[in-house]
Amino acid sequence: MDFSEIMKQASKIQDQMKTAKEDLKNIETEGTSGGGLVKLTINGNSELKKIDIDSSILIASEKEIIEDLIIAAFTDAKSKINDEIAKKMKDITGGLPIPPGFNIGF
């Protein structure tokens, strides 16, 4: 493969990554904690879209626990989004190793 083909392929991958980045805005994942007592939804930009707290834990003395559960649920959802991003990147690059620091739009 000559250099111009490599550059064409790199350009194509960059275009696909831009499209994937736009698509990720529409992906939402739900993170949970406390056995489902706290649920939250984030999108591919890691924006918090929804929080659902089971009313059984809404006791004033449980405030600190609820806050910790929200953080845990967000961490769970963020991990799932990162997995989705990794899958999309693998699909786009076809397993082609991308050098560290190579900016492909994410």
Side-chain angles (χ1 to χ4, degrees):
M1 185 180 295
D2 65 29
F3 185 71
S4 65
E5 275 299 312
I6 292 171
M7 292 307 295
K8 285 180 188 177
Q9 188 175 7
S11 178
K12 182 180 176 183
I13 289 172
Q14 259 187 320
D15 291 342
Q16 289 175 327
M17 294 305 275
K18 287 177 186 174
T19 301
K21 187 175 181 180
E22 290 298 316
D23 291 346
L24 285 172
K25 290 179 183 177
N26 299 319
I27 293 175
E28 291 188 349
T29 61
E30 181 179 85
T32 62
S33 66
L37 294 173
V38 174
K39 300 175 188 174
L40 57 80
T41 303
I42 64 171
N43 68 10
N45 288 337
S46 299
E47 296 168 332
L48 182 59
K49 304 305 279 182
K50 180 182 174 187
I51 296 176
D52 180 25
I53 301 172
D54 189 284
S55 61
S56 68
I57 61 170
L58 294 177
I59 302 167
S61 63
E62 304 291 324
K63 180 183 182 302
E64 201 170 306
I65 293 170
I66 293 169
E67 292 168 347
D68 289 342
L69 289 172
I70 291 171
I71 291 169
F74 182 82
T75 301
D76 182 45
K78 177 81 169 142
S79 173
K80 291 174 182 176
I81 282 292
N82 288 338
D83 290 346
E84 290 294 322
I85 291 170
K87 286 178 193 173
K88 274 216 177 278
M89 287 189 61
K90 185 176 180 183
D91 290 345
I92 289 170
T93 63
L96 181 69
I98 302 298
F102 184 74
N103 185 358
I104 49 179
F106 280 100

